[in-house]
């Protein structure tokens, strides 16, 4: 059953983050939490990770970067993502885009918790492609190690029951 799915651009998704373009507060998607007090974004994708999903989280990250003008670390819990529809060209393009858009900014950490072998592979590619930039990416299979590396309480990174979250 081949269904065509629409891939949204960063700009289109950035517009969708806001209920009303005149509002200054962001409306975060249900799979994203932003802990402003400790400067941590938590992303918990479920099911399929494809270009649309990646574009969506990049738009959210860029929106928070623009709105706060302060650095923040990221934690992506991809343990509930079980299908991947990405390719090398796209991952390389996104990695280079993020390197360029984050150039000259304060360094940040991006921890990716992944259990799916394909996701681990793409996450490691992202880590290699961002080496030497202000975005340090590490791939983890242990949530506790990710929490230690990010210097945050393990409870903040704990899996959410029912897949969604606060």
């Amino acid at each position: 059953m081949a269904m065509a799915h629409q891939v949204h651009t960063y700009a289109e998704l950035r517009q969708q983050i806001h209920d009303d373009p005149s509002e200054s507060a962001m409306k975060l998607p249900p799979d994203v939490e932003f802990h402003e007090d400790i400067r941590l974004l938590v992303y918990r994708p479920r099911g399929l990770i494809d270009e649309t999903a990646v574009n969506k989280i990049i738009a959210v990250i860029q929106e928070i970067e623009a709105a706060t003008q302060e650095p923040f670390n990221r934690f992506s819990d991809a343990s509930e993502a079980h299908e991947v529809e990405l390719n090398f060209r796209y991952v390389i393009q996104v990695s280079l885009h993020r390197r360029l858009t984050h150039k000259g900014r304060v360094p940040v950490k991006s921890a990716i918790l992944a259990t799916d072998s394909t996701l681990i592979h793409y996450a490691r590619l992202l880590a290699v492609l961002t080496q030497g930039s202000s975005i340090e990416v590490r791939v983890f299979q242990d949530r506790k190690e990710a929490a230690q590396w990010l210097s945050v309480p393990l409870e903040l990174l704990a899996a959410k029951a029912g897949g969604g979250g606060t």
Side-chain angles (χ1 to χ4, degrees):
M1 160 177 171
M3 288 181 61
H5 62 278
Q6 184 177 8
V7 176
H8 297 283
T9 66
Y10 301 127
E12 290 170 336
L13 289 163
R14 214 172 299 137
Q15 282 184 322
Q16 291 176 12
I17 292 170
H18 296 281
D19 282 329
D20 177 342
S22 66
E23 288 182 8
S24 59
M26 266 181 294
K27 178 186 174 208
L28 295 176
D31 55 359
V32 177
E33 301 169 13
F34 184 61
H35 301 275
E36 194 165 358
D37 55 335
I38 61 168
R39 312 298 305 155
L40 178 70
L41 177 133
V42 178
Y43 172 51
R44 292 186 173 89
R46 298 178 65 80
L48 174 67
I49 293 186
D50 60 3
E51 290 183 22
T52 298
V54 173
N55 287 345
K56 181 174 136 185
I57 189 59
I58 289 172
V60 169
I61 289 170
Q62 290 181 177
E63 193 68 20
I64 295 171
E65 287 172 343
T68 66
Q69 295 294 310
E70 294 180 37
F72 58 91
N73 292 327
R74 300 96 156 103
F75 173 70
S76 298
D77 179 354
S79 62
E80 293 297 322
H82 303 295
E83 188 177 353
V84 181
E85 288 182 12
L86 297 172
N87 61 58
F88 284 114
R89 182 179 177 178
Y90 175 75
V91 173
I92 291 168
Q93 181 182 20
V94 165
S95 300
L96 294 176
H97 169 78
R98 289 302 297 150
R99 278 185 76 108
L100 291 173
T101 58
H102 207 267
K103 186 177 180 175
R105 294 180 184 241
V106 175
V108 296
K109 294 178 177 181
S110 182
I112 301 171
L113 178 69
T115 54
D116 177 88
S117 62
T118 303
L119 274 172
I120 291 169
H121 184 73
Y122 281 122
R124 287 181 178 157
L125 177 60
L126 175 65
V128 167
L129 292 170
T130 55
Q131 279 181 346
S133 77
S134 58
I135 304 172
E136 184 179 359
V137 177
R138 287 203 191 162
V139 183
F140 296 89
Q141 291 181 300
D142 182 328
R143 194 177 306 273
K144 184 177 180 182
E145 290 176 11
Q148 289 171 342
W149 184 65
L150 291 168
S151 301
V152 299
L154 178 59
E155 301 76 45
L156 280 181
L157 306 188
K160 297 290 183 188
T166 24

